[in-house]
Amino acid sequence: QSPSIATAIEGGVCHITLNRPEALNAFTAPMLDALAAALQEVAANEQVRALVLTGAGRAFSAGQDLQEPLVRPEPGVRKDLGLMLDHYLPVARALRSLPVPTVCAVNGVAAGAGANLALGCDIVLAAEGASFIQAFSKIGLIPDCGGTWLLPRLVGRAKALELALLGDKLSASEAARLGLIARCVPAETLAAEALGVAQRLAALPTSALVRTRALVDAAMDLPFDEALSAERTAQSALGQAHDYQEGVQAFLDKRAPRYADR
Ligand code: T3D
């Protein structure tokens, strides 16, 4: 049996592929645990400087596998879906705090938790035929995997609530127009475009990129003055790192920089 998560590392870029195409890459508990373990390996591997997350087959992910024993309703049995979410949270947290930048290549439909794990990545590209569905309300649930946090920040409260309450399918092009994702690209160029973005990120100073992500996320909840202080703290630390010295020296020497910090 092929693994539900496939990992490959090439030239500083780690590719993680959701690999249950026969089930539209719907998540099971073992699959999520494998994904969390793969992300931990990315975090621990100093050679990796960017991540590309994508799906095998025609879907990115149909979200929770509704056949999974932990969630499948049984007459007379009250299921605690929190136990299922315990398998998602390490993944959602890892994607948001990975020590390298993340690119999601959404190759097809991304529903429920599949949509929100994709939207948790730093730069999200989607194929023209792909779509995003906040499928939760249709089965009596709320948007999880960070959906309630991500959606209003990405598209504002009005659109977030329309997407979350109605659960309609949003095309990749409309998602890009709304600012839910970075870009919609032809299906045949998605993998190459995602790799190109990841390679560009891998060549940049990783710790500055990761701190930028953390500051942008934190700033949404900070008064302006506290955001200024947080920027000062980060800049102070980065200014003492190798990558800053290398970047400035390379600029002055009129040569390409070679960044090494992570
Ligand atoms: O534990 C908890 O429940 C809490 C966690 C929640 C997180 C969540 O993600 S909740 C949301 C769960 N996901 C959904 O509700 C999405 C359900 N699927 C769909 O709406 C549609 O299948 C898609 C929009 C994703 C794709 O539509 P389409 O028309 O391209 O394909 P299809 O014909 O609907 O599906 C193909 C097959 O996949 C079909 O099986 P069959 O008839 O060929 O035997 C379908 O039942 C199966 N499938 C699709 N999604 C799921 C699934 N099987 C199990 N779980 C799924 N999520």
Side-chain angles (χ1 to χ4, degrees), residues 20-27 58-59 61-68 70-72 80-85 88 109-115 131 133-139 141-145 169:
R20 286 187 76 216
E22 70 285 1
L24 303 186
N25 301 318
F27 293 113
R58 74 175 176 93
S61 170
Q64 172 61 43
D65 188 327
L66 299 171
Q67 303 276 7
E68 155 83 45
L70 266 173
V71 306
R72 190 182 172 146
D80 178 359
L81 298 186
L83 297 177
M84 187 66 223
L85 283 187
Y88 281 100
V109 64
S131 54
I133 311 175
Q134 295 294 321
F136 308 90
S137 62
K138 293 187 172 157
I139 54 171
L141 299 179
I142 53 94
D144 57 23
C145 289
K169 182 188 280 198

Side-chain angles (χ1 to χ4, degrees), residues 166-177:
L166 296 176
D168 287 340
K169 182 188 280 198
L170 186 72
S171 69
S173 57
E174 185 65 358
R177 198 189 64 76

